[in-house]
Amino acid sequence: MEKKLPIGVLASGSGSNLQSIIDHIEQGRLDADIRVVISNNPDAYAITRAQKHGIPFVIVRHQEFPDREAFDRQMAEILISCGVELVVMAGFMRVLSPLFLKTFPQRVINIHPALLPSFPGLHGQRQAFEYGVKFSGCTVHFADDGVDSGPIIIQAVVPVLETDTEDTLAERILREEHRIYPQAIQFYAEGRIEIHNRQVRIRGLKESASQVLHNPPLEGF
Ligand code: GRF
């Protein structure tokens, strides 16, 4: 049997991205094995999802640690003891310390609900909606010690429609998150990701993105 990439998922909330990763693994489309789910929030629905699928989970309450490093050290110990090679942040609402990132160099990825570097931080969907952009989307990137600032692996672009509310836009973005996150992890699992400074290249891509999008659509121009 092929080796599966051992991953650890950090989640604070509903865990729909975790669910998408679980589903892709169960469908045999993602060569990964979720060794552990860690949440800082005991009420996170992500925990229930892990439980339903028999995935080990640990709750690490950040409030119980004197500082960020101590909290991060505890998480790192758990991840290492579970043999995790790639740390997947999926709606994890804590910024990781440089100490944690040094423990997993270029082995922590995050998903953000906007086209970075636009609209980092909280509520990327709302920021984009209120700004009035015509396209937004989502981004999977390596974590660094900034906020949503590491090298970009993959992005999906979605249009902002005139009929949209913040919620309908967020739903459209989330549907794409559920596709690009498993894809990014699969690229990693296949050992196809190369990082050159800020540029991430994927070896052996079957085709290149060639489509230009306009919103509103051009009328004859
Ligand atoms: C997603 O929008 C993700 O981009 C952001 O937090 C949200 C998590 O959603 N980082 P879920 O917990 O995966 O449903």
Side-chain angles (χ1 to χ4, degrees):
M1 205 174 83
E2 259 180 60
K3 183 182 178 283
K4 302 222 180 273
L5 176 71
I7 66 174
V9 179
L10 311 184
S12 305
S14 103
S16 71
N17 278 288
L18 167 66
Q19 188 67 55
S20 171
I21 294 165
I22 294 171
D23 293 345
H24 282 82
I25 291 173
E26 290 184 351
Q27 292 158 12
R29 298 164 70 195
L30 175 53
D31 301 321
D33 176 28
I34 306 177
R35 294 288 179 87
V36 66
V37 171
I38 300 181
S39 183
N40 61 318
N41 171 13
D43 301 323
Y45 191 63
I47 294 295
T48 309
R49 295 183 195 268
Q51 242 166 346
K52 280 188 180 163
H53 292 266
I55 297 168
F57 63 90
V58 183
I59 294 159
V60 186
R61 291 180 180 78
H62 59 274
Q63 302 89 335
E64 291 176 359
F65 293 83
D67 52 36
R68 192 183 296 281
E69 275 73 23
F71 169 65
D72 281 5
R73 201 171 300 120
Q74 176 67 25
M75 287 198 301
E77 274 171 22
I78 295 167
L79 293 161
I80 290 167
S81 72
C82 294
V84 164
E85 283 178 26
L86 179 70
V87 180
V88 175
M89 299 169 77
F92 187 63
M93 303 308 284
R94 312 288 303 167
V95 175
L96 296 171
S97 62
L99 177 136
F100 185 95
L101 295 168
K102 251 190 9 221
T103 313
F104 296 97
Q106 297 184 334
R107 293 199 287 135
V108 184
I109 60 175
N110 181 41
I111 189 156
H112 182 73
L115 286 177
L116 292 171
S118 294
F119 313 122
L122 287 179
H123 309 302
Q125 309 95 324
R126 181 183 308 163
Q127 293 183 56
F129 184 76
E130 287 177 354
Y131 192 94
V133 291
K134 297 300 184 192
F135 290 101
S136 190
C138 44
T139 304
V140 178
H141 63 94
F142 284 100
D144 66 7
D145 50 14
V147 175
D148 302 320
S149 57
I152 292 173
I153 301 169
I154 185 169
Q155 295 185 302
V157 176
V158 308
V160 182
L161 305 180
E162 301 206 341
T163 49
D164 268 335
T165 61
E166 185 191 321
D167 288 347
T168 58
L169 174 62
E171 275 168 36
R172 190 173 308 119
I173 292 172
L174 193 60
R175 274 200 298 276
E176 294 307 312
E177 292 187 36
H178 296 163
R179 301 174 71 196
I180 67 170
Y181 221 179
Q183 173 68 81
I185 298 167
Q186 182 64 17
F187 283 146
Y188 195 102
E190 291 173 357
R192 291 169 61 194
I193 298 186
E194 286 171 17
I195 311 178
H196 305 271
N197 305 313
R198 282 206 56 91
Q199 278 74 42
V200 174
R201 293 190 201 131
I202 312 295
R203 278 193 288 267
L205 283 176
K206 293 194 182 78
E207 47 191 306
S208 44
S210 58
Q211 214 179 343
V212 175
L213 306 171
H214 306 92
N215 184 25
L218 298 182
E219 296 187 344
F221 288 87

